[in-house]
Amino acid sequence: MDTISDILLNRRTIRKYSNDPVPMDLLDELLTMACRASTTGNMQVYSIIITREEARKRELAPLHFNQKMVTEAQVVLTFCADFNRFNKWCLMRKADPGYDNFLSFITASIDALIVAQTFCIAAEAKGMGICYLGTTTYMAHKIIDVLKLPKGVVPVTTITLGWPLDIPEQVERLPLEAVIHHETYCDYSSRQLEMIYKDKEERTDSIQFVKENNKDNLAQVFTDVRYKKADNVYFSNMLLQVLKDQGFMEQ
Ligand SMILES: Cc1cc2nc3c(=O)[nH]c(=O)nc-3n(C[C@H](O)[C@H](O)[C@H](O)COP(=O)(O)O)c2cc1C
């Protein structure tokens, strides 16, 4: 049996899944493990929406920019920051909830992300494959409609889950020194940045991306093609509106 270090060091995102079913008892087992994760004040201010029906996957697909994993994976899980349940319990008990603010959204989002990542590790330990979908926060307003999320609930991430069809190559990471700071933050000199990003820039696929997109370098592929300012500003404003509509910007 693989040790936890093997599982963590060998993992990679899986975007192609077989048709093998994911039984509900296996899903329950993974969810039970995930919900053992740390949670703020033991409040569990998150909810997880399970999508297994083809029709609803097809409704969700365009909201994830038609990434094929949404319809091809056996299961789609949407992890939500959720103060709705906790607020209702407080009100029922004549306790006055003060969770209609941005801090509470971040608190609930942290809870949701911790439970999501714990789920991913549990699934990968079973030999399953997962892919996060960052499109959730871009299209939260529409996902709210499809999943019928009430006020106090905001989707923060989605993962697709299934049995891997093939195992892709692992992709690189920055060297550990690039992301670790001892005691206090040590800001980066140009020389250090050159060293940190050297391997990434010299990869064959990076060189190919730069060429295909007619750019001067890899950084420009990120800023001008993959994560453009105009898109970021547009989706950022949409998300701020979602937070207002869902009652997290009242104070
Ligand atoms: C918050 C988050 C959002 C992501 N969104 C997407 C996505 O929308 N589509 C996708 O194919 N991969 C997505 N990924 C997966 C990353 O692309 C992937 O983790 C990264 O390229 C590193 O690859 P690895 O996980 O195989 O090591 C996302 C990952 C995270 C953590």
Side-chain angles (χ1 to χ4, degrees), residues 11-13 15 67 69 131-135 157 171 173:
R11 68 153 301 280
R12 71 254 359 240
T13 289
R15 298 184 176 85
Q67 297 189 79
M69 299 79 85
C131 181
Y132 275 95
L133 301 179
T135 32
T157 199
V171 296
R173 288 293 191 267

mmCIF file of all heavy atoms in Angstrom, residues 11-13 15 67 69 131-135 157 171 173, ligand 1:
data_model
loop_
_atom_site.group_PDB
_atom_site.id
_atom_site.type_symbol
_atom_site.label_atom_id
_atom_site.label_comp_id
_atom_site.label_asym_id
_atom_site.label_seq_id
_atom_site.Cartn_x
_atom_site.Cartn_y
_atom_site.Cartn_z
ATOM 1 N N ARG A 11 1.252 12.601 -7.004
ATOM 2 C CA ARG A 11 -0.061 12.983 -7.513
ATOM 3 C C ARG A 11 0.066 13.917 -8.725
ATOM 4 O O ARG A 11 1.080 14.558 -8.952
ATOM 5 C CB ARG A 11 -0.915 13.655 -6.424
ATOM 6 C CG ARG A 11 -0.411 15.018 -5.991
ATOM 7 C CD ARG A 11 -1.519 15.891 -5.463
ATOM 8 N NE ARG A 11 -2.571 16.120 -6.418
ATOM 9 C CZ ARG A 11 -2.501 17.016 -7.403
ATOM 10 N NH1 ARG A 11 -1.431 17.769 -7.569
ATOM 11 N NH2 ARG A 11 -3.494 17.170 -8.234
ATOM 12 N N ARG A 12 -0.976 13.937 -9.511
ATOM 13 C CA ARG A 12 -1.110 14.881 -10.610
ATOM 14 C C ARG A 12 -2.597 15.040 -10.897
ATOM 15 O O ARG A 12 -3.387 14.152 -10.536
ATOM 16 C CB ARG A 12 -0.334 14.422 -11.856
ATOM 17 C CG ARG A 12 -0.872 13.271 -12.579
ATOM 18 C CD ARG A 12 -0.175 11.928 -12.468
ATOM 19 N NE ARG A 12 0.993 11.673 -11.722
ATOM 20 C CZ ARG A 12 2.130 11.226 -12.238
ATOM 21 N NH1 ARG A 12 2.264 11.055 -13.519
ATOM 22 N NH2 ARG A 12 3.133 10.920 -11.460
ATOM 23 N N THR A 13 -2.960 16.165 -11.512
ATOM 24 C CA THR A 13 -4.361 16.391 -11.864
ATOM 25 C C THR A 13 -4.779 15.414 -12.958
ATOM 26 O O THR A 13 -4.030 15.197 -13.907
ATOM 27 C CB THR A 13 -4.535 17.857 -12.327
ATOM 28 O OG1 THR A 13 -4.396 18.695 -11.175
ATOM 29 C CG2 THR A 13 -5.885 18.099 -12.971
ATOM 30 N N ARG A 15 -7.559 14.667 -15.850
ATOM 31 C CA ARG A 15 -8.613 15.323 -16.651
ATOM 32 C C ARG A 15 -9.351 14.346 -17.566
ATOM 33 O O ARG A 15 -10.292 14.735 -18.235
ATOM 34 C CB ARG A 15 -8.003 16.468 -17.480
ATOM 35 C CG ARG A 15 -7.394 17.573 -16.614
ATOM 36 C CD ARG A 15 -6.865 18.749 -17.421
ATOM 37 N NE ARG A 15 -6.379 19.817 -16.556
ATOM 38 C CZ ARG A 15 -5.156 19.884 -16.025
ATOM 39 N NH1 ARG A 15 -4.281 18.919 -16.276
ATOM 40 N NH2 ARG A 15 -4.806 20.890 -15.245
ATOM 41 N N GLN A 67 -15.395 22.877 -20.100
ATOM 42 C CA GLN A 67 -14.270 21.963 -19.847
ATOM 43 C C GLN A 67 -14.860 20.556 -19.798
ATOM 44 O O GLN A 67 -15.815 20.297 -19.054
ATOM 45 C CB GLN A 67 -13.575 22.313 -18.548
ATOM 46 C CG GLN A 67 -12.943 23.722 -18.574
ATOM 47 C CD GLN A 67 -12.062 23.969 -17.368
ATOM 48 O OE1 GLN A 67 -10.923 23.513 -17.315
ATOM 49 N NE2 GLN A 67 -12.576 24.712 -16.396
ATOM 50 N N MET A 69 -14.190 17.792 -18.582
ATOM 51 C CA MET A 69 -14.220 16.968 -17.366
ATOM 52 C C MET A 69 -15.596 16.998 -16.699
ATOM 53 O O MET A 69 -16.007 16.044 -16.042
ATOM 54 C CB MET A 69 -13.195 17.476 -16.326
ATOM 55 C CG MET A 69 -11.766 17.450 -16.787
ATOM 56 S SD MET A 69 -11.367 18.839 -17.860
ATOM 57 C CE MET A 69 -10.956 20.110 -16.711
ATOM 58 N N CYS A 131 -9.864 16.860 -10.611
ATOM 59 C CA CYS A 131 -9.418 18.111 -11.218
ATOM 60 C C CYS A 131 -10.211 19.263 -10.599
ATOM 61 O O CYS A 131 -11.447 19.222 -10.578
ATOM 62 C CB CYS A 131 -9.629 18.096 -12.733
ATOM 63 S SG CYS A 131 -9.049 19.613 -13.531
ATOM 64 N N TYR A 132 -9.520 20.239 -10.078
ATOM 65 C CA TYR A 132 -10.183 21.463 -9.591
ATOM 66 C C TYR A 132 -10.653 22.279 -10.798
ATOM 67 O O TYR A 132 -9.998 22.275 -11.850
ATOM 68 C CB TYR A 132 -9.194 22.334 -8.815
ATOM 69 C CG TYR A 132 -9.018 21.979 -7.354
ATOM 70 C CD1 TYR A 132 -7.991 21.139 -6.943
ATOM 71 C CD2 TYR A 132 -9.857 22.520 -6.391
ATOM 72 C CE1 TYR A 132 -7.811 20.830 -5.597
ATOM 73 C CE2 TYR A 132 -9.687 22.219 -5.048
ATOM 74 C CZ TYR A 132 -8.667 21.372 -4.646
ATOM 75 O OH TYR A 132 -8.495 21.069 -3.331
ATOM 76 N N LEU A 133 -11.738 23.015 -10.614
ATOM 77 C CA LEU A 133 -12.205 23.936 -11.662
ATOM 78 C C LEU A 133 -12.255 25.354 -11.105
ATOM 79 O O LEU A 133 -13.115 25.679 -10.263
ATOM 80 C CB LEU A 133 -13.595 23.520 -12.159
ATOM 81 C CG LEU A 133 -13.722 22.111 -12.736
ATOM 82 C CD1 LEU A 133 -15.153 21.839 -13.156
ATOM 83 C CD2 LEU A 133 -12.766 21.912 -13.919
ATOM 84 N N GLY A 134 -11.343 26.180 -11.568
ATOM 85 C CA GLY A 134 -11.269 27.568 -11.095
ATOM 86 C C GLY A 134 -12.399 28.425 -11.643
ATOM 87 O O GLY A 134 -12.635 29.544 -11.169
ATOM 88 N N THR A 135 -13.104 27.893 -12.626
ATOM 89 C CA THR A 135 -14.220 28.608 -13.251
ATOM 90 C C THR A 135 -15.372 28.859 -12.275
ATOM 91 O O THR A 135 -16.233 29.701 -12.540
ATOM 92 C CB THR A 135 -14.701 27.768 -14.451
ATOM 93 O OG1 THR A 135 -14.499 26.374 -14.158
ATOM 94 C CG2 THR A 135 -13.903 28.101 -15.690
ATOM 95 N N THR A 157 -15.266 26.480 -4.995
ATOM 96 C CA THR A 157 -14.480 25.662 -5.917
ATOM 97 C C THR A 157 -15.272 24.409 -6.301
ATOM 98 O O THR A 157 -16.237 24.038 -5.631
ATOM 99 C CB THR A 157 -13.092 25.285 -5.358
ATOM 100 O OG1 THR A 157 -12.255 24.892 -6.451
ATOM 101 C CG2 THR A 157 -13.130 24.144 -4.352
ATOM 102 N N VAL A 171 3.637 17.561 -13.838
ATOM 103 C CA VAL A 171 4.167 18.864 -14.261
ATOM 104 C C VAL A 171 5.095 19.400 -13.169
ATOM 105 O O VAL A 171 5.044 18.949 -12.028
ATOM 106 C CB VAL A 171 3.052 19.876 -14.612
ATOM 107 C CG1 VAL A 171 2.254 19.381 -15.811
ATOM 108 C CG2 VAL A 171 2.131 20.152 -13.439
ATOM 109 N N ARG A 173 7.241 21.887 -10.526
ATOM 110 C CA ARG A 173 6.976 22.887 -9.495
ATOM 111 C C ARG A 173 8.204 23.791 -9.401
ATOM 112 O O ARG A 173 9.303 23.395 -9.811
ATOM 113 C CB ARG A 173 6.748 22.241 -8.126
ATOM 114 C CG ARG A 173 5.413 21.511 -7.992
ATOM 115 C CD ARG A 173 4.224 22.457 -8.042
ATOM 116 N NE ARG A 173 2.987 21.796 -7.663
ATOM 117 C CZ ARG A 173 2.128 21.215 -8.497
ATOM 118 N NH1 ARG A 173 2.372 21.207 -9.802
ATOM 119 N NH2 ARG A 173 1.031 20.641 -8.055
HETATM 120 C C1 LIG B 1 -8.035 26.536 -7.507
HETATM 121 C C2 LIG B 1 -7.632 25.728 -8.714
HETATM 122 C C3 LIG B 1 -8.310 25.907 -9.903
HETATM 123 C C4 LIG B 1 -8.011 25.112 -11.004
HETATM 124 N N1 LIG B 1 -8.745 25.251 -12.156
HETATM 125 C C5 LIG B 1 -8.537 24.405 -13.177
HETATM 126 C C6 LIG B 1 -9.391 24.451 -14.310
HETATM 127 O O1 LIG B 1 -10.347 25.242 -14.380
HETATM 128 N N2 LIG B 1 -9.142 23.571 -15.324
HETATM 129 C C7 LIG B 1 -8.118 22.663 -15.279
HETATM 130 O O2 LIG B 1 -7.968 21.900 -16.229
HETATM 131 N N3 LIG B 1 -7.289 22.608 -14.198
HETATM 132 C C8 LIG B 1 -7.488 23.443 -13.158
HETATM 133 N N4 LIG B 1 -6.702 23.362 -12.034
HETATM 134 C C9 LIG B 1 -5.618 22.364 -11.976
HETATM 135 C C10 LIG B 1 -4.265 23.045 -12.193
HETATM 136 O O3 LIG B 1 -4.148 23.445 -13.541
HETATM 137 C C11 LIG B 1 -3.157 22.069 -11.799
HETATM 138 O O4 LIG B 1 -3.259 21.754 -10.431
HETATM 139 C C12 LIG B 1 -1.775 22.649 -12.089
HETATM 140 O O5 LIG B 1 -1.592 22.857 -13.460
HETATM 141 C C13 LIG B 1 -0.673 21.728 -11.576
HETATM 142 O O6 LIG B 1 -0.843 20.442 -12.125
HETATM 143 P P1 LIG B 1 -0.906 19.156 -11.189
HETATM 144 O O7 LIG B 1 -2.072 19.308 -10.260
HETATM 145 O O8 LIG B 1 -1.070 17.996 -12.134
HETATM 146 O O9 LIG B 1 0.395 19.090 -10.456
HETATM 147 C C14 LIG B 1 -6.960 24.163 -10.939
HETATM 148 C C15 LIG B 1 -6.261 24.020 -9.732
HETATM 149 C C16 LIG B 1 -6.594 24.783 -8.645
HETATM 150 C C17 LIG B 1 -5.864 24.572 -7.339
#
